[in-house]
């Protein structure tokens, strides 16, 4: 039997001692206020055992981790029609890279880079009755927790400074790959990114991706085949131009956000979430990636 708590404790001690914890994101001004010393980690097995260390119950901005919830909802709503508008290839470029979009006729490489996620946001806007309320309800339902909310200050902060996302959305619109007005799509997108959750809430909300599409409440939201595809996309594209490195070091499908969170999973076994706000050069949590590498190495558990 692996002693998960002992492994997490060890990782926590090591993380606390690290001097260079990376750089907290500041291009969304509201995110810059976060304590760079915060560190939390939470593991939830498919049998319901829970292990946590540090700030695992503290809320943080999930940012791009929300793209996995958005993709799963869009897949549930319109299925394979998504793939006419977004591709499934790693981009090998930063999450906010624009040049490929024009070269490739405004079909984003994948649903996790910003341009791809903006197309998914457009799909949700067209297919949900009350997009912001319905999306929040979906995330709450997955986590089994009605306290989860948008942080309006963070959404507003990105609305005022998200120039690259405006550029990307305008390009998508010019190529007819957005159905709704640019402002409406970005308002939704900035809100989905501004959801706040803790590591323990993320471990619950990601349960369906480790358990064949059925959430903790035993409701089947997406098919087994759709989960296979989402996990493949997390593995190949979840960390942008660091996806290869993450697969190489950690060996789990996962998704990062510039709030410093990462959620990752081993199918049928567990979900593991980590939060450390300092980012590396690729915009992923510096200590978060390291902590997950330590975890899969010490526990000898990965998909490989
Ligand atoms: O669109 C943005 O730039 C942010 N709302 C989300 C980016 C992000 O989280 C990238 N992940 N590491």
């Amino acid at each position: 039997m692996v002693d998960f708590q002992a492994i997490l404790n060890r990782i926590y001690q090591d993380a606390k001692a690290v001097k260079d914890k990376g750089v907290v994101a500041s291009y969304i001004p509201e995110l810059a206020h976060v304590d760079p010393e915060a560190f939390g980690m939470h593991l939830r097995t498919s049998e319901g055992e829970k292990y946590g260390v540090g700030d695992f119950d503290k809320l943080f901005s999930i940012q791009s981790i929300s793209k996995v919830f958005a993709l799963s909802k869009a897949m549930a709503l319109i299925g394979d029609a998504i793939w006419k508008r977004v591709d499934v290839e790693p981009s090998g470029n930063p999450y906010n890279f624009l040049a490929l979009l024009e070269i490739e006729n405004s079909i984003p490489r994948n649903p996790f880079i910003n341009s791809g996620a903006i197309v998914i946001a457009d799909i949700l806007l067209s297919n949900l009755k009350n997009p912001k309320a319905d999306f929040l309800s979906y995330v709450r339902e997955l986590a089994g927790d009605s306290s989860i909310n948008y942080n309006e200050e963070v959404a507003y902060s990105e609305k005022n400074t998200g120039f690259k996302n405006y550029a990307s959305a305008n390009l998508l619109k010019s190529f007819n790959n957005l159905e709704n007005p640019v402002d409406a799509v970005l308002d939704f997108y900035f809100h989905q990114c501004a959801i706040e959750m803790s590591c323990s809430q993320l471990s619950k909300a990601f349960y369906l991706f480790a358990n064949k599409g059925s959430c903790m409440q035993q409701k089947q939201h997406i098919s087994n085949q759709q989960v296979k595809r989402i996990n493949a996309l997390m593995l190949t594209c979840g960390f942008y131009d660091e996806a290869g490195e993450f697969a190489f070091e950690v060996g789990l499908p996962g998704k990062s956000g510039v709030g410093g969170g990462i959620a990752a999973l081993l199918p049928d076994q567990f979900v593991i979430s980590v939060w450390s706000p300092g980012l590396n050069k690729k915009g992923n949590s510096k200590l978060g990636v390291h902590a997950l590498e330590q975890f899969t190495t010490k526990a000898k558990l990965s998909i490989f």
Side-chain angles (χ1 to χ4, degrees):
M1 242 313 259
V2 187
D3 187 343
F4 287 128
Q5 192 61 51
I7 294 175
L8 293 189
N9 291 346
R10 185 61 211 266
I11 293 171
Y12 181 63
Q13 276 167 17
D14 291 351
K16 283 277 148 192
V18 173
K19 293 249 152 37
D20 178 5
K21 294 188 161 70
V23 183
V24 175
S26 58
Y27 76 99
I28 302 171
E30 200 61 31
L31 294 183
H33 310 316
V34 177
D35 176 11
E37 296 297 319
F39 184 95
M41 210 166 177
H42 188 269
L43 176 117
R44 187 180 183 99
T45 68
S46 293
E47 276 98 49
E49 292 158 26
K50 296 171 280 181
Y51 307 89
V53 78
D55 301 314
F56 67 85
D57 265 335
K58 277 223 180 106
L59 297 178
F60 60 89
S61 194
I62 67 167
Q63 291 297 321
S64 287
I65 300 173
S66 69
K67 294 169 180 173
V68 192
F69 301 133
L71 175 63
S72 65
K73 189 67 197 172
M75 284 172 91
L77 287 166
I78 70 162
D80 285 342
I82 293 176
W83 312 120
K84 293 194 191 95
R85 297 178 57 186
V86 190
D87 206 350
V88 294
E89 294 298 336
S91 77
N93 281 296
Y95 56 86
N96 57 2
F97 191 68
L98 289 180
L100 274 185
L101 208 52
E102 180 146 42
I103 298 169
E104 297 180 348
N105 295 317
S106 228
I107 303 295
R109 277 287 176 102
N110 65 68
F112 293 150
I113 53 173
N114 286 1
S115 54
I118 289 169
V119 171
I120 300 295
D122 183 55
I123 290 170
L124 294 180
L125 215 53
S126 296
N127 288 279
L128 292 173
K129 261 206 197 93
N130 301 299
K132 280 194 262 184
D134 293 352
F135 184 69
L136 188 59
S137 299
Y138 174 61
V139 176
R140 287 174 171 176
E141 188 183 2
L142 293 187
D145 190 332
S146 59
S147 72
I148 294 169
N149 235 317
Y150 297 119
N151 180 322
E152 291 292 340
E153 282 83 45
V154 172
Y156 184 72
S157 181
E158 187 165 16
K159 193 177 182 145
N160 284 327
T161 54
F163 302 113
K164 270 201 133 176
N165 284 325
Y166 278 99
S168 166
N170 277 294
L171 205 52
L172 291 164
K173 187 75 182 168
S174 77
F175 278 87
N176 293 321
N177 201 3
L178 288 188
E179 290 174 351
N180 297 283
V182 163
D183 281 334
V185 177
L186 287 180
D187 180 59
F188 180 85
Y189 171 75
F190 294 147
H191 274 84
Q192 78 165 61
C193 289
I195 288 177
E196 288 190 327
M197 292 171 78
S198 63
C199 289
S200 53
Q201 287 171 333
L202 274 175
S203 295
K204 288 194 281 180
F206 262 60
Y207 180 93
L208 83 164
F209 304 121
N211 293 282
K212 302 183 165 64
S214 170
C215 74
M216 296 220 318
Q217 288 67 244
Q218 311 298 325
K219 180 170 161 188
Q220 192 78 33
H221 290 271
I222 42 177
S223 70
N224 195 28
Q225 187 208 40
Q226 288 173 321
V227 170
K228 179 181 76 178
R229 290 175 163 183
I230 292 169
N231 285 337
L233 285 167
M234 279 200 260
L235 187 76
T236 54
C237 313
F239 297 81
Y240 319 109
D241 45 342
E242 200 181 15
E245 178 86 7
F246 190 83
F248 185 80
E249 299 287 351
V250 179
L252 297 175
K255 186 72 206 81
S256 61
V258 288
I262 300 175
L265 62 102
L266 184 60
D268 302 318
Q269 304 274 333
F270 61 77
V271 177
I272 186 159
S273 308
V274 58
W275 174 49
S276 173
L279 307 180
N280 62 24
K281 289 201 170 66
K282 305 288 170 99
N284 301 314
S285 172
K286 184 170 192 285
L287 286 192
V289 173
H290 180 68
L292 290 173
E293 184 277 319
Q294 287 293 298
F295 178 80
T296 54
T297 303
K298 288 183 198 299
K300 299 192 181 71
L301 289 169
S302 88
I303 63 168
F304 300 111

